[in-house]
Amino acid sequence: MKNPISSAVEDYLKAIFELGEKEVKTQDLAALLGFSPASVTGMLNKLSKLNLVIYKKYYGVSLTKDGRLMALETIRHHRLIETYLMQALGYEWHEVHDEADRLEHVISEDFEERIAKIIGNPSYDPHGDPIPRKNGSMPQLLGKPLILFEVGSKIKLTRITKQDSDVLIYLAKHELKPGEIFRIEARAPFEGPVTLNQGKKPISIAYNLAKSIYAQTAI
């Protein structure tokens, strides 16, 4: 099992990557991780000495090549575990994130490869997030937010970026998951709701939530 310091390092690198990986503001990192800005600054100085990040006060933090590869490895673990928990162990998609957060730091590379093989070496996790490949490359991000589609468009959902448990439970209740096909029935003006229809009862989705639901044109 990896030691707590290593786990903390991986959490920081993963968070920096998720926030854009370059010139990430300290306050944004602190907000995501739930730590004080002073604590974050202290850790960034340590990561800089390890050559995992480039940190300049007032200019933010960026991942180095080594830091980026370590972040991608942790993200690969996380998303493979989420997929495995759903496919092999019957977890619901709102249950897998916290479990994956705990397990991503402790699995071996052999275990990673075994679960990847069992679930068919997927390119995307249950939420539609791309799973980094072993060589550090990333599958293409698919789709664009619902708010960018015209009324009447036939769409296939590809990704959910807002992954709070209550949101995922709500989306699952209405079958709003990657792979499902809908038609854009209406878009209210002034950042109003987007209405989808799957041939059943129309579903109205608040603008802020619709921004986090990605789709591509369905054939």
Side-chain angles (χ1 to χ4, degrees):
M1 182 178 293
K2 297 179 183 180
N3 61 58
I5 293 177
S6 178
S7 297
V9 167
E10 290 173 347
D11 282 340
Y12 268 82
L13 297 177
K14 183 175 74 168
I16 294 167
F17 182 89
E18 291 173 348
L19 289 171
E21 74 179 280
K22 293 182 179 180
E23 297 183 353
V24 174
K25 295 180 180 179
T26 303
Q27 56 265 40
D28 292 339
L29 191 56
L32 179 61
L33 293 171
F35 299 141
S36 70
S39 296
V40 170
T41 297
M43 176 58 88
L44 293 181
N45 284 323
K46 293 178 182 178
L47 295 179
S48 181
K49 291 178 181 178
L50 293 172
N51 295 316
L52 296 174
V53 304
I54 299 170
Y55 175 56
K56 296 180 180 179
K57 194 173 182 180
Y58 307 120
Y59 291 92
V61 59
S62 301
L63 295 175
T64 63
K65 181 179 179 180
D66 287 344
R68 186 176 191 274
L69 288 174
M70 188 177 292
L72 288 171
E73 181 181 355
T74 304
I75 292 168
R76 175 175 167 82
H77 286 183
H78 184 99
R79 294 176 180 173
L80 282 173
I81 291 168
E82 287 189 328
T83 309
Y84 177 77
L85 290 173
M86 282 193 66
Q87 289 190 14
L89 300 183
Y91 277 67
E92 299 294 334
W93 75 335
H94 65 275
E95 299 174 319
V96 296
H97 179 77
D98 289 344
E99 291 285 4
D101 263 350
R102 288 186 284 268
L103 294 170
E104 67 189 19
H105 304 295
V106 298
I107 66 171
S108 67
E109 299 309 300
D110 180 60
F111 186 85
E112 171 205 311
E113 287 307 300
R114 286 173 184 248
I115 64 172
K117 184 177 180 180
I118 287 172
I119 58 180
N121 291 298
S123 295
Y124 300 90
D125 74 8
H127 311 104
D129 288 324
I131 299 174
R133 302 183 182 96
K134 285 290 291 182
N135 63 6
S137 63
M138 288 282 277
Q140 180 182 2
L141 286 171
L142 300 177
K144 60 184 180 181
L146 289 185
I147 59 171
L148 299 181
F149 285 92
E150 297 296 329
V151 172
S153 299
K154 185 180 180 183
I155 60 167
K156 179 180 180 181
L157 302 188
T158 58
R159 187 182 181 211
I160 310 296
T161 61
K162 187 174 178 62
Q163 297 175 12
D164 299 337
S165 292
D166 55 345
V167 170
L168 293 176
I169 291 171
Y170 173 82
L171 294 178
K173 179 181 178 181
H174 295 285
E175 300 181 18
L176 290 160
K177 289 187 173 184
E180 295 292 333
I181 295 176
F182 291 84
R183 190 174 298 278
I184 306 286
E185 187 168 280
R187 274 178 51 196
F190 310 113
E191 299 188 355
V194 176
T195 302
L196 303 181
N197 200 322
Q198 199 181 36
K200 305 174 185 178
K201 183 179 179 180
I203 305 165
S204 290
I205 303 170
Y207 183 86
N208 284 336
L209 179 55
K211 288 195 300 183
S212 70
I213 300 175
Y214 282 61
Q216 59 188 12
T217 301
I219 299 174

